[in-house]
Amino acid sequence: MKKIFTLVAVAMMTVCANAQVISFSEAVAAGSMDAKTFGTGFVLTVTDTSGKIAIDKNTAYFGDATTYTNYDYRLKTGGKSSSKSQLVFTIPADGTFKFFARTGSNSAIDRTVVVTQSDAELFNKVIAESDAVSVDMTDATTGTITSKNVYPVNTVAVKAGTVIVTYPINGINFYGFELATATGIQKLTPIATSSTTCYNMAGQKVSTNAKGLVIENGKKIIK
């Protein structure tokens, strides 16, 4: 008897994270940031006609107690946002927008970051130094263990388009931004299966050697 084989293409629906990161690697003086852009595709455009926003060297860790990333530069807003001072992002695809921010002031307990898109408020939260967790880190050179603060990563779901970040109460320090998008199907895996089960027209299982009209591999065949 000739066996019937069917090649089945199974879509492995594993969603891959495609992360685009905007961070800073050199100092930029206040008064020279207006209309300055960072990134490609996922782009930050700085609006700063008031001349207060700057970038300087400052180290901070963001993540959680087990996984964290070190940033060496920060974007200082220099005060609260307005129509003259805000951060505008071009979002190339739907995804998760992340930002790494702190106030730098233990006494500041009311400074908020607001994320809006198409006039809809997506995020409004107080950024406080007390949100950090203390993590013991080992210096790779000296082996010395030092306790350092690790600040939380703030996340919000966004759509493709324009996203505006404001800080209506007072200054916020932004160390970086990230957009994580889904790339869809990771791969198609072909799987070969053989038909070894047959049924008669009454739906009863029969031998693969059964004669007559049977159902094999979902098809009616005559043996």
Side-chain angles (χ1 to χ4, degrees):
M1 181 188 71
K2 183 179 180 181
K3 292 185 178 180
I4 301 174
F5 291 86
T6 303
L7 188 65
V8 182
V10 178
M12 305 299 292
M13 298 298 290
T14 301
V15 177
C16 304
N18 178 27
Q20 301 177 66
V21 177
I22 295 174
S23 58
F24 313 104
S25 59
E26 61 181 11
V28 180
S32 58
M33 290 285 288
D34 188 47
K36 193 172 183 64
T37 60
F38 301 86
T40 303
F42 171 47
V43 178
L44 160 62
T45 302
V46 178
T47 299
D48 183 34
T49 56
S50 60
K52 294 181 179 180
I53 299 178
I55 296 174
D56 68 354
K57 190 171 179 60
N58 185 274
T59 297
Y61 294 85
F62 290 87
D64 55 39
T66 59
T67 305
Y68 44 83
T69 302
N70 176 41
Y71 292 85
D72 289 326
Y73 285 82
R74 64 181 176 180
L75 183 150
K76 297 174 59 178
T77 64
K80 66 180 181 180
S81 60
S82 65
S83 59
K84 296 181 179 181
S85 177
Q86 58 187 5
L87 308 180
V88 180
F89 291 85
T90 300
I91 307 296
D94 297 359
T96 301
F97 176 66
K98 303 178 182 181
F99 61 91
F100 316 103
R102 54 178 292 212
T103 65
S105 171
N106 290 324
S107 62
I109 57 174
D110 61 349
R111 298 186 192 181
T112 58
V113 170
V114 179
V115 179
T116 59
Q117 185 171 39
S118 300
D119 296 325
E121 187 176 285
L122 307 180
F123 181 98
N124 189 332
K125 180 183 176 182
V126 171
I127 305 298
E129 293 290 288
S130 58
D131 290 335
V133 296
S134 182
V135 177
D136 289 338
M137 301 182 189
T138 303
D139 187 285
T141 303
T142 65
T144 304
I145 298 176
T146 305
S147 181
K148 295 183 180 296
N149 284 336
V150 175
Y151 300 90
V153 179
N154 295 281
T155 65
V156 57
V158 295
K159 300 289 186 181
T162 300
V163 163
I164 298 175
V165 173
T166 55
Y167 30 96
I169 305 300
N170 212 330
I172 299 288
N173 300 317
F174 293 98
Y175 288 75
F177 307 90
E178 180 179 316
L179 177 66
T181 58
T183 58
I185 296 175
Q186 183 178 21
K187 62 180 178 179
L188 291 177
T189 303
I191 301 175
T193 61
S194 62
S195 176
T196 57
T197 304
C198 294
Y199 300 87
N200 61 22
M201 299 310 295
Q204 299 169 321
K205 186 176 180 180
V206 296
S207 169
T208 55
N209 295 322
K211 304 298 182 181
L213 183 62
V214 298
I215 300 173
E216 185 175 277
N217 194 38
K219 296 181 180 180
K220 294 179 182 179
I221 59 174
I222 297 176
K223 294 187 177 181

